[in-house]
Amino acid sequence: MRKPFRTLFLLLTLALTCAALTACGSSSSNGVVNVANWGDYIDEDAIAAFEEETGIKVNYSTYSDNESLYSTLKNGSTDYDVIVPSDYMIARLIEEDMLEEIDFDNVPNAANLDEEFLSGLDYDPEGTYSVPYLWGVVGLIYNTTMLDYTPTSWDVLWDESLSGQILMFDNSRDAIGIALKSLGYSYNTTSEGEITQAVDKLIEQKPLVQAYVMDQIFGKTEAGEAAVAPYYAGDAVVMMRENPDLACIYPEEGSNYYIDAWCIPKGASNKENAELFINYMCQTEVMAANATYCTYAPPSSAARALLGDDLADNELVYAPDAVRDLCEIYTNLPQTVLDLYDQQWVRLKAA
């Protein structure tokens, strides 16, 4: 659905082939790297160009959310060399010794990232285990022909007049988080009472919900099959191009600001190839091309300068400071709270 933007990537790649080979280190005539990422979250031409320039075969697969990725890794899978978890999941994987330290001698292009993304991030304070890929903010997408007002709050997701036309995230952290925020609580609360109250509110909402989904939100909302849904604001840019009846706002209570990053799972079979892959993706021109394809913000001012004005100056891609000031990055919660989330999620689904 984003294929028209690949022309930009091809032009930039052809212009920088020699530089890319040098930046990636010596090219390899064989070998593989196994990459797992969110659905539709990379320009496939970037993968093809990496393969052509290094001789390394990329085996690429996708997952739907952080929790499913965690379960796969926790169950002992060593199938992946590169993964792209979000901030709070990175912290959890570090805490449980499930990530490799990255050898930044093999990732010199990390220097192309802005300083704010290289260290001092709560989920990876020393920047030892991760290299930021893209960032964004969760927004509220709605169909202007299906609402007779402009929403400003998460409360629209509890509007009884929209029964059967509401979509919700199908994972505990995001769904419970929205309910917490709507109640004026922190996404990162550890209060059992506040979390229970949030799930009580989700149970009240449940009869109104058409479906609990993740990536399907994109297609359902774009096709006019739902009136309102939480989703990543950057995706709204593409959805609004395809369906001009759609609009997107940042809820007044605040939202989730997230950073997705390249990581290497513990025991990866092809660690050096993984680092070569990450290094390639940190070229300024490649970051810009992937950002153009995904319509999310790259962690690089230099890459932003290469984006078209429709993205570089778009507040759905680059949330204004006033919006980000109201947002929270998810933190890794204590195990007792994670267990509570699991219990409460089961209670919601069984209600």
Side-chain angles (χ1 to χ4, degrees):
M1 76 190 65
R2 297 171 182 157
K3 289 184 174 65
F5 299 115
R6 293 188 179 175
T7 301
L8 169 65
F9 180 81
L10 290 171
L11 291 174
L12 291 168
T13 299
L14 290 172
L16 290 148
T17 296
C18 293
L21 282 167
T22 301
C24 283
S26 59
S27 62
S28 171
S29 61
N30 53 46
V32 300
V33 61
N34 303 302
V35 180
N37 196 358
W38 300 74
D40 200 25
Y41 203 33
I42 195 170
D43 189 329
E44 293 178 9
D45 286 331
I47 297 174
F50 170 80
E51 289 179 324
E52 181 176 353
E53 294 183 12
T54 65
I56 297 170
K57 168 65 177 174
V58 177
N59 296 320
Y60 190 81
S61 59
T62 63
Y63 51 86
S64 61
D65 54 53
N66 285 293
E67 284 67 30
S68 61
L69 171 64
Y70 173 82
S71 295
T72 299
L73 297 175
K74 193 67 174 178
N75 287 334
S77 172
T78 56
D79 294 339
Y80 304 146
D81 301 309
V82 179
I83 55 176
V84 192
S86 303
D87 32 61
Y88 73 96
M89 186 55 67
I90 294 170
R92 184 175 185 182
L93 294 172
I94 292 172
E95 182 177 292
E96 298 184 23
D97 193 28
M98 294 172 66
L99 294 180
E100 296 280 358
E101 291 191 17
I102 295 173
D103 182 352
F104 280 89
D105 287 342
N106 292 330
V107 193
N109 285 332
N112 294 327
L113 278 63
D114 293 347
E115 183 61 33
E116 67 175 293
F117 292 101
L118 291 176
S119 62
L121 298 166
D122 288 344
Y123 62 86
D124 185 8
E126 302 302 320
T128 306
Y129 297 92
S130 63
V131 179
Y133 173 42
L134 294 167
W135 67 268
V137 172
V138 173
L140 191 60
I141 301 174
Y142 66 99
N143 191 309
T144 59
T145 68
M146 301 171 78
L147 275 73
D148 57 7
Y149 61 96
T150 300
T152 60
S153 164
W154 288 121
D155 287 346
V156 69
L157 295 171
W158 280 263
D159 185 340
E160 294 182 359
S161 71
L162 300 176
S163 180
Q165 299 176 324
I166 296 169
L167 301 177
M168 277 295 285
F169 280 131
D170 192 22
N171 74 77
S172 60
R173 194 71 195 264
D174 284 323
I176 296 174
I178 288 171
L180 285 167
K181 208 65 178 172
S182 74
L183 290 166
Y185 302 140
S186 169
Y187 279 119
N188 299 309
T189 182
T190 58
S191 165
E192 180 176 356
E194 291 177 357
I195 293 168
T196 300
Q197 186 181 350
V199 174
D200 287 343
K201 186 167 184 176
L202 290 175
I203 290 173
E204 293 174 5
Q205 178 204 39
K206 188 174 181 180
L208 310 177
V209 174
Q210 178 191 120
Y212 295 92
V213 285
M214 290 302 298
D215 291 343
Q216 301 95 319
I217 290 175
F218 195 109
K220 281 179 169 289
T221 309
E222 186 182 276
E225 297 175 7
V228 63
Y231 209 50
Y232 314 108
D235 280 304
V237 176
V238 177
M239 297 161 73
M240 289 160 62
R241 288 176 186 149
E242 298 298 321
N243 184 345
D245 291 334
L246 298 179
C248 181
I249 59 101
Y250 294 116
E252 61 191 6
E253 302 95 334
S255 188
N256 169 223
Y257 162 50
Y258 58 86
I259 301 173
D260 297 327
W262 305 109
C263 298
I264 301 175
K266 199 78 170 182
S269 300
N270 305 288
K271 184 174 184 288
E272 184 173 346
N273 286 352
E275 290 162 345
L276 292 175
F277 181 85
I278 293 169
N279 187 62
Y280 185 88
M281 294 299 159
C282 287
Q283 292 180 70
T284 299
E285 295 77 10
V286 178
M287 285 191 285
N290 275 327
T292 299
Y293 180 82
C294 298
T295 60
Y296 291 176
S300 163
S301 299
R304 181 177 184 175
L306 297 179
L307 303 180
D309 292 344
D310 61 325
L311 297 181
D313 298 329
N314 194 318
E315 292 190 350
L316 294 179
V317 178
Y318 287 92
D321 289 343
V323 171
R324 290 176 65 182
D325 287 345
L326 293 173
C327 292
E328 296 179 89
I329 289 182
Y330 289 143
T331 60
N332 183 34
L333 299 171
Q335 187 59 52
T336 54
V337 179
L338 294 174
D339 291 342
L340 175 62
Y341 262 75
D342 290 342
Q343 295 162 11
Q344 291 294 322
W345 189 242
V346 170
R347 181 167 75 93
L348 169 63
K349 288 304 185 79

